[in-house]
Amino acid sequence: MKRLATICVAAVFTWAGVTGAGYHAEHAHWSYKGKSGPVHWGEIDPRFRLCALGANQSPVDIHRLIEAKLPDPKVYYTGNAQEVVNNGHTIKVSTIGKNEFSIDGIPFDLVQFHFHTPSENTINGQHFPMEAHLVHKSKDGEYLVVAVMFQEGKPNLALSRILADLDPRPGHPKKLKEMFNPGDLFPKKVDYYRYDGSFTTPPCTEGVRWIVLKTPVEASKEQLEQMQKIMGHNNRPTQPLHARVILK
Ligand SMILES: [Zn+2]
């Protein structure tokens, strides 16, 4: 009961906050630190309230694993990475052509991919220096995010193409001179963890299928440092699992 009461009070404050003076729906500003940081996202805009109140939020720490015979995903990527932008929250790359990832018998089309430093999801409490999110959408508007972890090692070819053309200033998109297949971001082995979660940025929409690839890929120390320098720390802290389990 005590817990329930706390949640109700938080909800009241959220609504009180957004009806106060100075609230601008079109310019709800969120960030990764201070007064507009992750712990405040739910208070910034009523559309962001799931960030505070949702019970199936991402990222998570990958633990509490259940053994399952997870099927091989059907990955059919024939398109290309096209344009890169620092949008002020992340380095985002748009894609063109047919890039399809099928799971549960549903084809999901790749919309964009982007990066977080350090990783958002953690595995047994451990962060990786970087995580890529490949965001897919089905015809019915459902979302699937495929997460790829990066560890320090050999230079990464896909990253070198992104960094070669990226304008680090926020809001300056640039076409990639040398396009590449988004599947180049994947490790050879696509074994994965699976759970149901949310967007890791406002509005923290739930009902998102998460596939976290078990095998990390490599990037050089310089590449990882460059990405981090441009994006800063753009990782939302891990969220409680509540009733969820993670399949492996
Ligand atoms: Zn992301």
Side-chain angles (χ1 to χ4, degrees):
M1 273 319 282
K2 200 174 173 192
R3 183 174 167 75
L4 187 64
T6 310
I7 289 167
C8 291
V9 169
V12 169
F13 277 123
T14 302
W15 284 101
V18 298
T19 50
Y23 169 67
H24 303 289
E26 303 309 313
H27 302 99
H29 171 74
W30 59 272
S31 76
Y32 287 98
K33 56 185 174 201
K35 289 194 175 113
S36 56
V39 292
H40 299 292
W41 286 352
E43 307 151 17
I44 292 172
D45 186 312
R47 293 171 300 183
F48 299 173
R49 62 186 179 277
L50 268 180
C51 302
L53 303 177
N56 299 293
Q57 290 286 295
S58 292
V60 297
D61 179 46
I62 309 267
H63 69 289
R64 205 189 287 168
L65 298 167
I66 301 283
E67 197 75 60
K69 284 201 172 62
L70 293 171
D72 288 338
K74 290 188 178 66
V75 187
Y76 185 75
Y77 282 1
T78 59
N80 277 304
Q82 190 196 29
E83 191 177 82
V84 61
V85 67
N86 171 9
N87 69 8
H89 298 299
T90 184
I91 293 171
K92 187 175 90 171
V93 181
S94 64
T95 56
I96 50 164
K98 193 174 176 67
N99 303 297
E100 198 177 271
F101 196 109
S102 292
I103 200 139
D104 304 333
I106 304 168
F108 290 84
D109 292 316
L110 181 63
V111 184
Q112 49 99 339
F113 60 87
H114 62 264
F115 300 89
H116 298 270
T117 49
S119 70
E120 294 206 296
N121 293 291
T122 56
I123 299 179
N124 292 319
Q126 295 295 307
H127 279 283
F128 285 80
M130 187 165 81
E131 179 175 345
H133 288 161
L134 293 96
V135 182
H136 301 71
K137 198 175 178 183
S138 76
K139 292 216 161 44
D140 293 332
E142 292 199 58
Y143 283 94
L144 160 76
V145 179
V146 180
V148 181
M149 299 296 182
F150 283 72
Q151 67 184 10
E152 199 180 303
K154 290 193 287 285
N156 185 290
L157 189 63
L159 268 190
S160 66
R161 292 190 175 165
I162 292 168
L163 285 166
D165 293 327
L166 171 70
D167 186 332
R169 293 172 300 166
H172 289 78
K174 276 187 79 179
K175 286 247 157 49
L176 294 175
K177 279 192 209 79
E178 284 193 87
M179 298 204 288
F180 60 90
N181 185 291
D184 292 353
L185 291 164
F186 287 165
K188 283 198 184 77
K189 233 173 141 192
V190 288
D191 287 357
Y192 59 93
Y193 303 106
R194 179 170 178 180
Y195 75 95
D196 289 338
S198 72
F199 291 163
T200 66
T201 54
C204 304
T205 312
E206 296 190 334
V208 177
R209 288 169 170 83
W210 275 87
I211 298 276
V212 179
L213 300 188
K214 288 182 183 175
T215 312
V217 298
E218 292 187 358
S220 70
K221 187 169 186 275
E222 292 72 26
Q223 288 180 320
L224 293 168
E225 280 174 357
Q226 230 180 318
M227 295 292 281
Q228 207 252 299
K229 201 174 152 202
I230 296 164
M231 298 191 290
H233 290 280
N234 65 341
N235 65 309
R236 184 190 195 193
T238 55
Q239 304 295 305
L241 278 178
H242 294 299
R244 293 174 288 175
V245 293
I246 296 173
L247 304 179
K248 65 170 181 178

